[in-house]
Amino acid sequence: MATLEHLWAKGTLVKFEANLAPHELPHRSVYFAAQFDEWIEAVLYDEWSDARGRDMSPYEQVEAIFVDFVKGWPMVYGVHKKLLRPETRGIWSLRTPDVRIFGWFPALGTFLAVRGAMKRNLKQPMDYREHIDHVADFRDALPLDEPKSIAGTRPDENA
């Protein structure tokens, strides 16, 4: 078994490095599954925004939400993050106007992003099911020390 840092050192996970000002310190951490990092490179860079009046591309939105998370800024439940049903699986989505990022909180103040999807492609509840199942399977297969996830389901229990 391993910790997130061990899995990052082995190359199993990618650690998001926020571009912080010299006087800023990280308060939280974000890790990516390799497949999520590949999705950013292969898909997200080329996507366009559906949000009216937004000057930020979907890539910029995702980068901004991760930077805000690392800085320790408050995350508003239902706006920036949402627990996906069924609650017992502990799968969350971080949300921007155009993108849904699926993952979980393996530790307090730590998010592990596994999958991403454009909001416009998630029209039916079953569209979410595929991502939820994939994240749960990824978490189960990851050689991470137990507990692999924060057990809480309240928005203030994980960030």
Side-chain angles (χ1 to χ4, degrees):
M1 297 306 245
T3 66
L4 292 170
E5 288 293 317
H6 289 125
L7 296 173
W8 169 65
K10 287 175 48 178
T12 305
L13 299 176
V14 176
K15 189 171 187 178
F16 175 75
E17 299 292 338
N19 189 11
L20 303 178
H23 66 279
E24 295 177 312
L25 295 173
H27 293 274
R28 300 182 187 133
S29 299
V30 175
Y31 291 87
F32 299 164
Q35 62 196 344
F36 180 76
D37 194 43
E38 292 165 7
W39 176 81
I40 288 173
E41 297 285 332
V43 176
L44 192 60
Y45 279 135
D46 296 327
E47 289 289 351
W48 69 93
S49 178
D50 290 326
R52 293 184 181 201
R54 285 298 258 173
D55 293 334
M56 296 174 75
S57 71
Y59 172 79
E60 291 168 328
Q61 294 170 30
V62 168
E63 183 177 42
I65 198 170
F66 286 148
V67 169
D68 289 351
F69 184 82
V70 169
K71 286 181 177 182
W73 291 8
M75 303 292 286
V76 178
Y77 182 76
V79 175
H80 300 115
K81 64 180 179 176
K82 188 170 185 176
L83 180 62
L84 299 174
R85 302 288 187 252
E87 290 180 354
T88 56
R89 296 183 82 183
I91 307 300
W92 291 76
S93 73
L94 296 187
R95 305 155 66 92
T96 77
D98 290 307
V99 182
R100 299 299 182 255
I101 304 154
F102 300 91
W104 82 95
F105 293 92
L108 185 64
T110 303
F111 185 75
L112 201 158
V114 177
R115 288 220 64 188
M118 297 303 294
K119 176 184 170 186
R120 68 176 161 268
N121 297 331
L122 300 169
K123 307 251 187 251
Q124 303 295 324
M126 287 307 295
D127 296 335
Y128 282 83
R129 172 64 48 208
E130 172 190 342
H131 297 289
I132 293 167
D133 291 345
H134 185 86
V135 172
D137 291 344
F138 179 86
R139 182 181 57 204
D140 291 346
L142 196 65
L144 192 60
D145 291 345
E146 294 289 342
K148 292 184 180 185
S149 181
I150 291 177
T153 58
R154 289 195 346 253
D156 59 344
E157 291 178 320
N158 50 42

Short mmCIF file of all heavy atoms in Angstrom, two decimals, residues 2-51:
data_model
loop_
_atom_site.label_atom_id
_atom_site.label_comp_id
_atom_site.label_asym_id
_atom_site.label_seq_id
_atom_site.Cartn_x
_atom_site.Cartn_y
_atom_site.Cartn_z
N ALA A 2 0.28 2.38 -0.41
CA ALA A 2 1.05 3.60 -0.58
C ALA A 2 0.21 4.82 -0.21
O ALA A 2 -1.00 4.74 -0.06
CB ALA A 2 1.50 3.70 -2.03
N THR A 3 0.91 5.93 -0.09
CA THR A 3 0.26 7.22 0.11
C THR A 3 0.16 7.94 -1.23
O THR A 3 0.76 7.51 -2.22
CB THR A 3 1.06 8.09 1.09
OG1 THR A 3 2.31 8.42 0.47
CG2 THR A 3 1.28 7.39 2.42
N LEU A 4 -0.56 9.05 -1.26
CA LEU A 4 -0.64 9.84 -2.48
C LEU A 4 0.74 10.31 -2.93
O LEU A 4 1.06 10.30 -4.11
CB LEU A 4 -1.57 11.04 -2.27
CG LEU A 4 -3.04 10.71 -2.07
CD1 LEU A 4 -3.80 11.95 -1.62
CD2 LEU A 4 -3.65 10.14 -3.33
N GLU A 5 1.56 10.71 -1.97
CA GLU A 5 2.92 11.17 -2.30
C GLU A 5 3.75 10.04 -2.91
O GLU A 5 4.52 10.28 -3.84
CB GLU A 5 3.60 11.74 -1.06
CG GLU A 5 3.06 13.08 -0.61
CD GLU A 5 3.34 14.20 -1.61
OE1 GLU A 5 4.47 14.28 -2.13
OE2 GLU A 5 2.43 15.00 -1.86
N HIS A 6 3.59 8.83 -2.39
CA HIS A 6 4.31 7.69 -2.97
C HIS A 6 3.85 7.45 -4.40
O HIS A 6 4.67 7.20 -5.30
CB HIS A 6 4.08 6.40 -2.15
CG HIS A 6 4.74 6.40 -0.83
ND1 HIS A 6 4.05 6.17 0.33
CD2 HIS A 6 6.04 6.60 -0.47
CE1 HIS A 6 4.89 6.23 1.34
NE2 HIS A 6 6.10 6.49 0.89
N LEU A 7 2.55 7.49 -4.63
CA LEU A 7 2.02 7.25 -5.97
C LEU A 7 2.42 8.36 -6.94
O LEU A 7 2.65 8.11 -8.12
CB LEU A 7 0.50 7.08 -5.92
CG LEU A 7 0.02 5.86 -5.13
CD1 LEU A 7 -1.49 5.88 -4.99
CD2 LEU A 7 0.48 4.58 -5.80
N TRP A 8 2.53 9.57 -6.45
CA TRP A 8 3.01 10.68 -7.27
C TRP A 8 4.49 10.47 -7.62
O TRP A 8 4.89 10.62 -8.77
CB TRP A 8 2.80 12.00 -6.54
CG TRP A 8 3.49 13.16 -7.17
CD1 TRP A 8 3.25 13.69 -8.41
CD2 TRP A 8 4.56 13.91 -6.63
NE1 TRP A 8 4.10 14.75 -8.65
CE2 TRP A 8 4.91 14.90 -7.57
CE3 TRP A 8 5.26 13.86 -5.43
CZ2 TRP A 8 5.93 15.83 -7.34
CZ3 TRP A 8 6.26 14.79 -5.19
CH2 TRP A 8 6.59 15.74 -6.15
N ALA A 9 5.29 10.09 -6.63
CA ALA A 9 6.72 9.86 -6.86
C ALA A 9 6.96 8.73 -7.86
O ALA A 9 7.92 8.77 -8.64
CB ALA A 9 7.44 9.57 -5.54
N LYS A 10 6.09 7.72 -7.85
CA LYS A 10 6.22 6.59 -8.78
C LYS A 10 5.67 6.92 -10.17
O LYS A 10 5.83 6.13 -11.10
CB LYS A 10 5.47 5.37 -8.23
CG LYS A 10 6.17 4.71 -7.06
CD LYS A 10 5.36 3.58 -6.46
CE LYS A 10 4.82 2.62 -7.46
NZ LYS A 10 4.08 1.50 -6.87
N GLY A 11 4.98 8.05 -10.32
CA GLY A 11 4.41 8.42 -11.61
C GLY A 11 3.01 7.90 -11.84
O GLY A 11 2.46 8.06 -12.93
N THR A 12 2.42 7.28 -10.83
CA THR A 12 1.05 6.78 -10.95
C THR A 12 0.06 7.93 -10.98
O THR A 12 -0.96 7.86 -11.67
CB THR A 12 0.72 5.83 -9.78
OG1 THR A 12 1.71 4.80 -9.74
CG2 THR A 12 -0.65 5.23 -9.91
N LEU A 13 0.34 8.99 -10.22
CA LEU A 13 -0.51 10.17 -10.15
C LEU A 13 0.30 11.39 -10.57
O LEU A 13 1.53 11.39 -10.47
CB LEU A 13 -1.04 10.39 -8.73
CG LEU A 13 -1.90 9.29 -8.12
CD1 LEU A 13 -2.25 9.63 -6.68
CD2 LEU A 13 -3.17 9.08 -8.94
N VAL A 14 -0.39 12.42 -11.00
CA VAL A 14 0.22 13.70 -11.34
C VAL A 14 -0.23 14.68 -10.28
O VAL A 14 -1.41 14.73 -9.92
CB VAL A 14 -0.24 14.17 -12.73
CG1 VAL A 14 0.31 15.54 -13.06
CG2 VAL A 14 0.13 13.15 -13.80
N LYS A 15 0.70 15.47 -9.75
CA LYS A 15 0.34 16.48 -8.76
C LYS A 15 0.17 17.83 -9.46
O LYS A 15 1.04 18.25 -10.21
CB LYS A 15 1.40 16.58 -7.67
CG LYS A 15 0.99 17.45 -6.51
CD LYS A 15 1.98 17.33 -5.37
CE LYS A 15 1.47 18.06 -4.14
NZ LYS A 15 2.39 17.90 -3.02
N PHE A 16 -0.96 18.48 -9.22
CA PHE A 16 -1.21 19.80 -9.79
C PHE A 16 -0.37 20.82 -9.02
O PHE A 16 -0.46 20.91 -7.80
CB PHE A 16 -2.70 20.15 -9.68
CG PHE A 16 -3.01 21.55 -10.13
CD1 PHE A 16 -3.03 21.88 -11.47
CD2 PHE A 16 -3.29 22.54 -9.20
CE1 PHE A 16 -3.33 23.17 -11.88
CE2 PHE A 16 -3.58 23.82 -9.60
CZ PHE A 16 -3.59 24.14 -10.94
N GLU A 17 0.42 21.54 -9.76
CA GLU A 17 1.26 22.58 -9.16
C GLU A 17 0.66 23.94 -9.51
O GLU A 17 0.77 24.39 -10.64
CB GLU A 17 2.70 22.48 -9.68
CG GLU A 17 3.38 21.17 -9.34
CD GLU A 17 3.66 20.98 -7.86
OE1 GLU A 17 3.73 21.98 -7.11
OE2 GLU A 17 3.80 19.82 -7.44
N ALA A 18 0.03 24.57 -8.55
CA ALA A 18 -0.58 25.88 -8.77
C ALA A 18 0.50 26.94 -8.88
O ALA A 18 1.49 26.92 -8.15
CB ALA A 18 -1.53 26.21 -7.63
N ASN A 19 0.30 27.85 -9.80
CA ASN A 19 1.22 28.96 -9.97
C ASN A 19 0.84 30.04 -8.96
O ASN A 19 0.03 30.91 -9.25
CB ASN A 19 1.15 29.48 -11.41
CG ASN A 19 2.23 30.47 -11.71
OD1 ASN A 19 3.16 30.65 -10.93
ND2 ASN A 19 2.10 31.14 -12.84
N LEU A 20 1.44 29.97 -7.78
CA LEU A 20 1.12 30.89 -6.70
C LEU A 20 2.12 32.04 -6.66
O LEU A 20 3.28 31.88 -7.06
CB LEU A 20 1.13 30.16 -5.36
CG LEU A 20 0.19 28.97 -5.22
CD1 LEU A 20 0.36 28.31 -3.86
CD2 LEU A 20 -1.24 29.37 -5.44
N ALA A 21 1.67 33.17 -6.15
CA ALA A 21 2.56 34.31 -5.96
C ALA A 21 3.58 33.96 -4.88
O ALA A 21 3.33 33.08 -4.04
CB ALA A 21 1.74 35.54 -5.56
N PRO A 22 4.72 34.64 -4.87
CA PRO A 22 5.76 34.31 -3.88
C PRO A 22 5.30 34.35 -2.42
O PRO A 22 5.79 33.59 -1.60
CB PRO A 22 6.84 35.38 -4.13
CG PRO A 22 6.64 35.78 -5.56
CD PRO A 22 5.16 35.67 -5.81
N HIS A 23 4.32 35.18 -2.12
CA HIS A 23 3.85 35.29 -0.73
C HIS A 23 2.72 34.30 -0.41
O HIS A 23 2.27 34.24 0.73
CB HIS A 23 3.37 36.72 -0.45
CG HIS A 23 2.15 37.10 -1.23
ND1 HIS A 23 2.21 37.51 -2.54
CD2 HIS A 23 0.84 37.12 -0.89
CE1 HIS A 23 1.00 37.77 -2.97
NE2 HIS A 23 0.13 37.54 -2.00
N GLU A 24 2.27 33.52 -1.39
CA GLU A 24 1.17 32.58 -1.18
C GLU A 24 1.71 31.17 -0.92
O GLU A 24 2.68 30.74 -1.54
CB GLU A 24 0.25 32.53 -2.41
CG GLU A 24 -0.47 33.83 -2.66
CD GLU A 24 -1.32 33.77 -3.92
OE1 GLU A 24 -0.82 33.32 -4.97
OE2 GLU A 24 -2.49 34.18 -3.84
N LEU A 25 1.04 30.48 -0.01
CA LEU A 25 1.38 29.09 0.29
C LEU A 25 0.20 28.19 -0.03
O LEU A 25 -0.96 28.59 0.14
CB LEU A 25 1.73 28.93 1.77
CG LEU A 25 2.97 29.67 2.25
CD1 LEU A 25 3.08 29.57 3.77
CD2 LEU A 25 4.20 29.12 1.58
N PRO A 26 0.45 26.98 -0.49
CA PRO A 26 -0.67 26.07 -0.76
C PRO A 26 -1.31 25.60 0.55
O PRO A 26 -0.62 25.31 1.52
CB PRO A 26 -0.01 24.91 -1.50
CG PRO A 26 1.43 24.97 -1.14
CD PRO A 26 1.74 26.39 -0.83
N HIS A 27 -2.64 25.57 0.56
CA HIS A 27 -3.40 25.10 1.72
C HIS A 27 -4.02 23.73 1.48
O HIS A 27 -4.42 23.06 2.42
CB HIS A 27 -4.49 26.11 2.09
CG HIS A 27 -3.95 27.40 2.59
ND1 HIS A 27 -3.62 27.62 3.90
CD2 HIS A 27 -3.64 28.54 1.93
CE1 HIS A 27 -3.15 28.84 4.04
NE2 HIS A 27 -3.16 29.43 2.87
N ARG A 28 -4.16 23.37 0.21
CA ARG A 28 -4.76 22.10 -0.17
C ARG A 28 -3.96 21.51 -1.32
O ARG A 28 -3.10 22.17 -1.88
CB ARG A 28 -6.21 22.30 -0.61
CG ARG A 28 -7.12 22.89 0.45
CD ARG A 28 -8.52 22.99 -0.12
NE ARG A 28 -9.42 23.68 0.76
CZ ARG A 28 -10.26 24.64 0.38
NH1 ARG A 28 -10.30 25.03 -0.89
NH2 ARG A 28 -11.07 25.21 1.24
N SER A 29 -4.31 20.27 -1.69
CA SER A 29 -3.61 19.58 -2.78
C SER A 29 -4.60 19.00 -3.79
O SER A 29 -5.69 18.59 -3.41
CB SER A 29 -2.77 18.42 -2.23
OG SER A 29 -1.81 18.90 -1.33
N VAL A 30 -4.16 18.94 -5.03
CA VAL A 30 -4.94 18.31 -6.10
C VAL A 30 -4.00 17.34 -6.83
O VAL A 30 -2.88 17.71 -7.19
CB VAL A 30 -5.51 19.33 -7.10
CG1 VAL A 30 -6.21 18.63 -8.26
CG2 VAL A 30 -6.44 20.31 -6.42
N TYR A 31 -4.49 16.12 -7.01
CA TYR A 31 -3.78 15.12 -7.79
C TYR A 31 -4.65 14.73 -8.97
O TYR A 31 -5.88 14.80 -8.89
CB TYR A 31 -3.49 13.87 -6.95
CG TYR A 31 -2.47 14.10 -5.87
CD1 TYR A 31 -2.86 14.56 -4.62
CD2 TYR A 31 -1.11 13.85 -6.09
CE1 TYR A 31 -1.92 14.78 -3.63
CE2 TYR A 31 -0.19 14.05 -5.09
CZ TYR A 31 -0.59 14.52 -3.86
OH TYR A 31 0.34 14.74 -2.88
N PHE A 32 -4.00 14.30 -10.05
CA PHE A 32 -4.71 13.84 -11.23
C PHE A 32 -4.36 12.37 -11.47
O PHE A 32 -3.20 11.98 -11.35
CB PHE A 32 -4.25 14.57 -12.50
CG PHE A 32 -4.47 16.05 -12.54
CD1 PHE A 32 -3.78 16.81 -13.48
CD2 PHE A 32 -5.34 16.70 -11.69
CE1 PHE A 32 -3.96 18.17 -13.57
CE2 PHE A 32 -5.53 18.07 -11.76
CZ PHE A 32 -4.84 18.81 -12.71
N ALA A 33 -5.36 11.59 -11.87
CA ALA A 33 -5.08 10.29 -12.47
C ALA A 33 -4.45 10.60 -13.83
O ALA A 33 -4.74 11.62 -14.45
CB ALA A 33 -6.37 9.51 -12.66
N ALA A 34 -3.58 9.71 -14.30
CA ALA A 34 -2.91 9.94 -15.58
C ALA A 34 -3.93 10.15 -16.71
O ALA A 34 -3.73 11.00 -17.58
CB ALA A 34 -1.99 8.76 -15.91
N GLN A 35 -5.04 9.43 -16.66
CA GLN A 35 -6.06 9.57 -17.71
C GLN A 35 -6.71 10.95 -17.69
O GLN A 35 -7.10 11.47 -18.73
CB GLN A 35 -7.11 8.48 -17.57
CG GLN A 35 -7.85 8.54 -16.25
CD GLN A 35 -8.61 7.27 -15.94
OE1 GLN A 35 -8.83 6.44 -16.80
NE2 GLN A 35 -8.99 7.12 -14.69
N PHE A 36 -6.84 11.57 -16.52
CA PHE A 36 -7.39 12.91 -16.44
C PHE A 36 -6.41 13.91 -17.03
O PHE A 36 -6.79 14.81 -17.79
CB PHE A 36 -7.74 13.28 -14.99
CG PHE A 36 -8.31 14.67 -14.86
CD1 PHE A 36 -9.62 14.92 -15.23
CD2 PHE A 36 -7.54 15.71 -14.38
CE1 PHE A 36 -10.15 16.20 -15.12
CE2 PHE A 36 -8.05 17.00 -14.28
CZ PHE A 36 -9.36 17.24 -14.64
N ASP A 37 -5.14 13.76 -16.71
CA ASP A 37 -4.10 14.62 -17.26
C ASP A 37 -4.08 14.51 -18.79
O ASP A 37 -3.97 15.52 -19.49
CB ASP A 37 -2.74 14.23 -16.66
CG ASP A 37 -1.68 15.28 -16.91
OD1 ASP A 37 -1.96 16.48 -16.77
OD2 ASP A 37 -0.55 14.88 -17.25
N GLU A 38 -4.22 13.30 -19.30
CA GLU A 38 -4.27 13.08 -20.76
C GLU A 38 -5.51 13.72 -21.37
O GLU A 38 -5.46 14.26 -22.48
CB GLU A 38 -4.23 11.59 -21.07
CG GLU A 38 -2.90 10.95 -20.73
CD GLU A 38 -2.95 9.43 -20.69
OE1 GLU A 38 -3.99 8.84 -21.07
OE2 GLU A 38 -1.94 8.84 -20.27
N TRP A 39 -6.65 13.65 -20.68
CA TRP A 39 -7.89 14.26 -21.17
C TRP A 39 -7.73 15.78 -21.29
O TRP A 39 -8.19 16.38 -22.27
CB TRP A 39 -9.04 13.91 -20.23
CG TRP A 39 -10.34 14.56 -20.58
CD1 TRP A 39 -11.23 14.14 -21.54
CD2 TRP A 39 -10.91 15.73 -20.00
NE1 TRP A 39 -12.31 14.99 -21.58
CE2 TRP A 39 -12.14 15.97 -20.64
CE3 TRP A 39 -10.50 16.60 -19.00
CZ2 TRP A 39 -12.96 17.04 -20.32
CZ3 TRP A 39 -11.31 17.67 -18.67
CH2 TRP A 39 -12.53 17.88 -19.34
N ILE A 40 -7.05 16.38 -20.33
CA ILE A 40 -6.81 17.83 -20.41
C ILE A 40 -6.04 18.15 -21.68
O ILE A 40 -6.41 19.06 -22.43
CB ILE A 40 -6.05 18.33 -19.16
CG1 ILE A 40 -6.96 18.30 -17.93
CG2 ILE A 40 -5.49 19.74 -19.39
CD1 ILE A 40 -6.26 18.62 -16.64
N GLU A 41 -4.96 17.40 -21.93
CA GLU A 41 -4.12 17.64 -23.10
C GLU A 41 -4.85 17.34 -24.41
O GLU A 41 -4.77 18.11 -25.36
CB GLU A 41 -2.86 16.77 -23.03
CG GLU A 41 -1.96 17.07 -21.86
CD GLU A 41 -1.16 18.36 -22.02
OE1 GLU A 41 -0.89 18.73 -23.18
OE2 GLU A 41 -0.84 18.97 -21.01
N ALA A 42 -5.55 16.22 -24.47
CA ALA A 42 -6.14 15.76 -25.73
C ALA A 42 -7.49 16.38 -26.05
O ALA A 42 -7.85 16.52 -27.22
CB ALA A 42 -6.28 14.24 -25.70
N VAL A 43 -8.25 16.76 -25.03
CA VAL A 43 -9.62 17.22 -25.26
C VAL A 43 -9.85 18.65 -24.78
O VAL A 43 -10.31 19.50 -25.52
CB VAL A 43 -10.63 16.26 -24.57
CG1 VAL A 43 -12.05 16.78 -24.72
CG2 VAL A 43 -10.50 14.85 -25.12
N LEU A 44 -9.53 18.91 -23.52
CA LEU A 44 -9.95 20.17 -22.90
C LEU A 44 -9.33 21.40 -23.55
O LEU A 44 -10.00 22.43 -23.68
CB LEU A 44 -9.64 20.15 -21.40
CG LEU A 44 -10.28 21.27 -20.58
CD1 LEU A 44 -11.80 21.22 -20.69
CD2 LEU A 44 -9.85 21.19 -19.14
N TYR A 45 -8.08 21.33 -23.96
CA TYR A 45 -7.44 22.49 -24.60
C TYR A 45 -8.21 22.99 -25.80
O TYR A 45 -8.19 24.18 -26.10
CB TYR A 45 -6.01 22.14 -25.03
CG TYR A 45 -4.99 22.20 -23.94
CD1 TYR A 45 -4.06 21.17 -23.82
CD2 TYR A 45 -4.92 23.25 -23.04
CE1 TYR A 45 -3.09 21.20 -22.82
CE2 TYR A 45 -3.97 23.29 -22.04
CZ TYR A 45 -3.05 22.27 -21.93
OH TYR A 45 -2.11 22.30 -20.95
N ASP A 46 -8.87 22.09 -26.51
CA ASP A 46 -9.56 22.46 -27.76
C ASP A 46 -11.04 22.77 -27.58
O ASP A 46 -11.72 23.07 -28.57
CB ASP A 46 -9.40 21.33 -28.79
CG ASP A 46 -7.95 21.11 -29.18
OD1 ASP A 46 -7.19 22.10 -29.21
OD2 ASP A 46 -7.57 19.95 -29.42
N GLU A 47 -11.55 22.68 -26.38
CA GLU A 47 -12.98 22.92 -26.15
C GLU A 47 -13.29 24.41 -26.09
O GLU A 47 -12.44 25.24 -25.78
CB GLU A 47 -13.43 22.26 -24.84
CG GLU A 47 -13.48 20.75 -24.92
CD GLU A 47 -14.62 20.22 -25.79
OE1 GLU A 47 -15.49 21.00 -26.22
OE2 GLU A 47 -14.62 19.00 -26.04
N TRP A 48 -14.54 24.75 -26.38
CA TRP A 48 -15.03 26.12 -26.33
C TRP A 48 -16.04 26.25 -25.20
O TRP A 48 -16.61 25.27 -24.74
CB TRP A 48 -15.65 26.51 -27.66
CG TRP A 48 -16.94 25.78 -27.93
CD1 TRP A 48 -18.20 26.21 -27.63
CD2 TRP A 48 -17.10 24.48 -28.50
NE1 TRP A 48 -19.13 25.27 -27.99
CE2 TRP A 48 -18.47 24.18 -28.53
CE3 TRP A 48 -16.21 23.52 -28.99
CZ2 TRP A 48 -18.97 22.99 -29.02
CZ3 TRP A 48 -16.72 22.33 -29.48
CH2 TRP A 48 -18.08 22.09 -29.50
N SER A 49 -16.27 27.47 -24.78
CA SER A 49 -17.19 27.73 -23.68
C SER A 49 -18.61 27.90 -24.19
O SER A 49 -18.85 28.58 -25.19
CB SER A 49 -16.77 28.99 -22.93
OG SER A 49 -17.70 29.27 -21.91
N ASP A 50 -19.56 27.29 -23.49
CA ASP A 50 -20.98 27.48 -23.76
C ASP A 50 -21.57 28.57 -22.86
O ASP A 50 -22.70 28.98 -23.05
CB ASP A 50 -21.76 26.18 -23.49
CG ASP A 50 -21.45 25.11 -24.51
OD1 ASP A 50 -21.22 25.44 -25.68
OD2 ASP A 50 -21.45 23.93 -24.13
N ALA A 51 -20.80 29.00 -21.86
CA ALA A 51 -21.29 29.97 -20.89
C ALA A 51 -21.26 31.37 -21.49
O ALA A 51 -20.22 31.86 -21.90
CB ALA A 51 -20.45 29.91 -19.61
#
